[in-house]
Amino acid sequence: MLPMSWRQQWFSQPVKDILSGSVVAMALIPEAIAFSIIAGVDPKVGLYASFCIATIIAFVGGRPAMISAATGAMALLMTDLIKDHGLQYLLATTILTGVFQFIFGVLRLGELMRFVSKAVVTGFVNALAILIFMAQLPELTHVSWQVYAMTAGGLGIIYLFPYVTKAIPSPLVCILVMTALSMYLGLNIHTVGDMGALPNSLPTFLLPDVPFNFETFSIIAPYALGLSLVGLMESMMTATICDEFTDTDSDKNMECRGQGIANIVTGFLGGMAGCGMIGQSVINVKSGGRNRLSTLTAGVFLLILVVFLNKWVAQIPMAALVSVMIMVSIGTFSWSSIRDLPKTPLTTNIVMIVTVVTVVATHNLSIGVIVGVLLSSLFFASKVARVLYVGTEVKDGVTEYKVVGQVFFASANNFVKRFDFKEAVAKVRIDVSRAHFWDQTAVSALDKVVLKLRREGAEVEVIGLNEASATLVDRFAVHDKEQDVEKLMGH
């Protein structure tokens, strides 16, 4: 008898999963081709990658029903590498990307996603949408009027066809209609066949034709590190969205390892690096897909379509794909983040905008996210530092300071300023029972307060330290260690 958890993940609703996976496979074709063209490689590189990654991640991923394949975010990072060094270095980079991601999974770095704020995620998504749109501009510059007409017509089909039926993905209808129209009219415009060779066979195992030395590693390692970070971030965000749609949990660390394994195998089979796809995963879940069978169906059905229909795929006009990618760009952008700017906190808006600007300026999603996370952390520390209260009252000749809040590197100076060192008092009690000392800077601030008060002649007593704060004070404070105080005063 099959284990229940395994059976549930694969065969609890086979019909729905096969149908939803088939819809995703058809929608994957134009995107895989378009992302290949963005990266500057033959369409078969993206199509092989989408088949391999979707198929392998079905077995080793941590989020059932999530679709992973060649993506725009990853393609954008590859353009310079391919332009300067060629396809073989891309394949080596794909393998190294997988190795990095597998190591990150073993180190359980998937849990770091909780440090990425919603503002950073929104900035990431908006920047991705802008970059995808910008990547279409070369296909719309210095071209004939037929290209603009085809693009406009394609967009019309994409946005109006769902009013007729949603049973067939409108991007697929756009491609079919625009291809038929282009062939019927004999239009002299760019087609997918002009971009490079399409596959007509199953992918085969190959070793990247690059020198295996340190120089090669120094070329591909920076690209691989950027691809692995961007791939994992997009995959983790996609998994989170799927969790919310299905009200189930995913294993983020298993997903990291799964992405690594999928990219390693893909590199050896002639494909480009990929990751989780937000749009396709949403299509799969919205179409009823819930299990690993839907992901496997998407990968296998994609390869069947491409291998047996490659002559027709070559006739697809580029204008149709541009329409699809403009739709992806518009659908990816978080328009509500612009609408809600006036009522969103200023710091949240700043984090989102800085993330967008950094990504668009550097064309590197990982740099933008890192900058956004650092900025979020600074704003958070600044806010927490302001939550500090020090009250004073005099009882029976004793001046008592009551400290409430968090004392750490950002609030330590503020903590010291709350004490009056010039007031002549005989005895001072500092009650920290409602405060927490987080680091060595906080302990040093407490030392400074106690020693200054003692220097003015006051007898000082610190009460109410919680266990964690007392441990820090015991390790780093000098005010309660006579030898250290004498040494300090001697200096």
Side-chain angles (χ1 to χ4, degrees):
M1 184 176 176
L2 294 172
M4 182 61 75
S5 60
W6 190 87
R7 189 172 62 188
Q8 282 180 334
Q9 289 185 25
W10 279 95
F11 300 118
S12 64
Q13 49 159 41
V15 175
K16 284 186 177 179
D17 286 330
I18 290 173
L19 287 176
S20 61
S22 301
V23 172
V24 171
M26 289 187 281
L28 271 174
I29 294 176
E31 293 201 354
I33 295 172
F35 294 144
S36 301
I37 293 167
I38 287 176
V41 295
D42 286 346
K44 69 178 181 181
V45 177
L47 290 166
Y48 277 163
S50 295
F51 153 70
C52 293
I53 296 172
T55 303
I56 294 167
I57 208 71
F59 294 94
V60 299
R63 173 63 257 181
M66 188 176 106
I67 304 297
S68 297
T71 67
M74 301 287 268
L76 287 165
L77 294 180
M78 303 170 186
T79 53
D80 290 340
L81 173 68
I82 295 167
K83 195 182 303 175
D84 296 338
H85 301 284
L87 175 63
Q88 295 301 317
Y89 279 79
L90 171 64
L91 301 183
T93 303
T94 298
I95 296 168
L96 187 58
T97 297
V99 172
F100 283 155
Q101 290 178 327
F102 186 81
I103 293 172
F104 292 157
V106 171
L107 296 176
R108 306 182 69 79
L109 295 188
E111 296 174 6
L112 294 179
M113 269 304 292
R114 67 179 188 272
F115 294 108
V116 180
S117 68
K118 184 173 176 57
V120 176
V121 173
T122 304
F124 174 93
V125 169
N126 288 349
L128 175 61
I130 293 171
L131 291 181
I132 290 175
F133 180 80
M134 290 171 63
Q136 309 312 308
L137 296 181
E139 290 296 332
L140 296 172
T141 307
H142 305 303
V143 294
S144 63
W145 66 269
Q146 290 96 334
V147 173
Y148 296 116
M150 293 285 282
T151 304
L155 286 170
I157 292 174
I158 288 171
Y159 285 105
L160 296 177
F161 189 77
Y163 290 103
V164 179
T165 177
K166 294 183 179 178
I168 306 173
S170 62
L172 185 63
V173 176
C174 160
I175 291 171
L176 293 175
V177 171
M178 291 296 111
T179 302
L181 191 62
S182 174
M183 293 175 67
Y184 176 76
L185 296 176
L187 297 178
N188 183 24
I189 57 177
H190 273 173
T191 65
V192 170
D194 297 328
M195 300 297 120
L198 291 171
N200 55 11
S201 61
L202 295 174
T204 56
F205 179 85
L206 56 86
L207 282 175
D209 185 16
V210 297
F212 289 91
N213 53 34
F214 181 75
E215 184 181 355
T216 300
F217 180 79
S218 65
I219 292 172
I220 67 175
Y223 289 100
L225 184 59
L227 287 167
S228 61
L229 291 175
V230 168
L232 290 184
M233 282 188 283
E234 188 161 355
S235 298
M236 296 303 103
M237 284 188 278
T238 304
T240 301
I241 291 171
C242 290
D243 291 351
E244 293 176 359
F245 274 123
T246 60
D247 197 25
T248 55
D249 293 328
S250 57
D251 186 335
K252 302 286 194 306
N253 292 309
M254 183 179 178
E255 184 61 36
C256 289
R257 298 193 297 273
Q259 292 286 334
I261 294 170
N263 277 320
I264 291 172
V265 176
T266 298
F268 283 119
L269 292 178
M272 58 197 275
C275 64
M277 301 182 77
I278 295 174
Q280 298 295 346
S281 298
V282 171
I283 290 175
N284 190 35
V285 172
K286 291 284 188 183
S287 301
R290 291 291 183 276
N291 301 315
R292 296 179 184 275
L293 184 59
S294 63
T295 310
L296 178 64
T297 301
V300 173
F301 195 44
L302 168 66
L303 188 68
I304 293 172
L305 286 173
V306 171
V307 169
F308 290 100
L309 300 175
N310 60 75
K311 291 183 180 177
W312 294 98
V313 172
Q315 300 299 320
I316 297 173
M318 286 301 299
L321 295 183
V322 169
S323 300
V324 173
M325 296 315 299
I326 291 176
M327 178 273 293
V328 171
S329 173
I330 294 173
T332 302
F333 197 90
S334 175
W335 298 100
S336 61
S337 65
I338 304 299
R339 183 194 63 208
D340 296 338
L341 275 176
K343 56 184 179 184
T344 305
L346 178 62
T347 54
T348 301
N349 289 335
I350 291 174
V351 171
M352 188 270 286
I353 292 170
V354 168
T355 302
V356 172
V357 171
T358 305
V359 171
V360 173
T362 62
H363 282 226
N364 190 317
L365 291 161
S366 58
I367 293 177
V369 171
I370 290 171
V371 170
V373 169
L374 290 176
L375 199 56
S376 297
S377 302
L378 286 175
F379 283 137
F380 175 76
S382 175
K383 286 179 182 176
V384 173
R386 289 199 293 270
V387 185
L388 180 66
Y389 169 79
V390 181
T392 311
E393 65 177 350
V394 179
K395 279 186 181 178
D396 302 327
V398 179
T399 300
E400 184 168 301
Y401 290 93
K402 290 191 175 183
V403 184
V404 180
Q406 311 302 315
V407 187
F408 62 112
F409 64 90
S411 61
N413 285 337
N414 193 24
F415 168 75
V416 174
K417 290 177 181 176
R418 302 298 178 91
F419 291 84
D420 183 359
F421 300 108
K422 298 300 181 185
E423 184 182 11
V425 292
K427 191 169 184 178
V428 173
R429 182 180 297 128
I430 303 175
D431 182 357
V432 295
S433 57
R434 297 175 64 189
H436 191 104
F437 290 74
W438 285 98
D439 54 21
Q440 197 169 354
T441 306
V443 175
S444 297
L446 182 62
D447 275 339
K448 192 173 184 179
V449 168
V450 172
L451 294 177
K452 275 193 169 186
L453 289 170
R454 285 180 182 170
R455 191 174 58 195
E456 298 300 323
E459 179 185 339
V460 183
E461 179 186 16
V462 179
I463 64 171
L465 280 169
N466 59 38
E467 186 176 349
S469 299
T471 301
L472 269 180
V473 169
D474 185 54
R475 288 181 60 187
F476 299 113
V478 299
H479 69 265
D480 56 349
K481 301 179 181 66
E482 190 174 340
Q483 289 182 338
D484 290 338
V485 172
E486 290 177 355
K487 191 184 298 181
L488 188 66
M489 300 302 283
H491 287 288

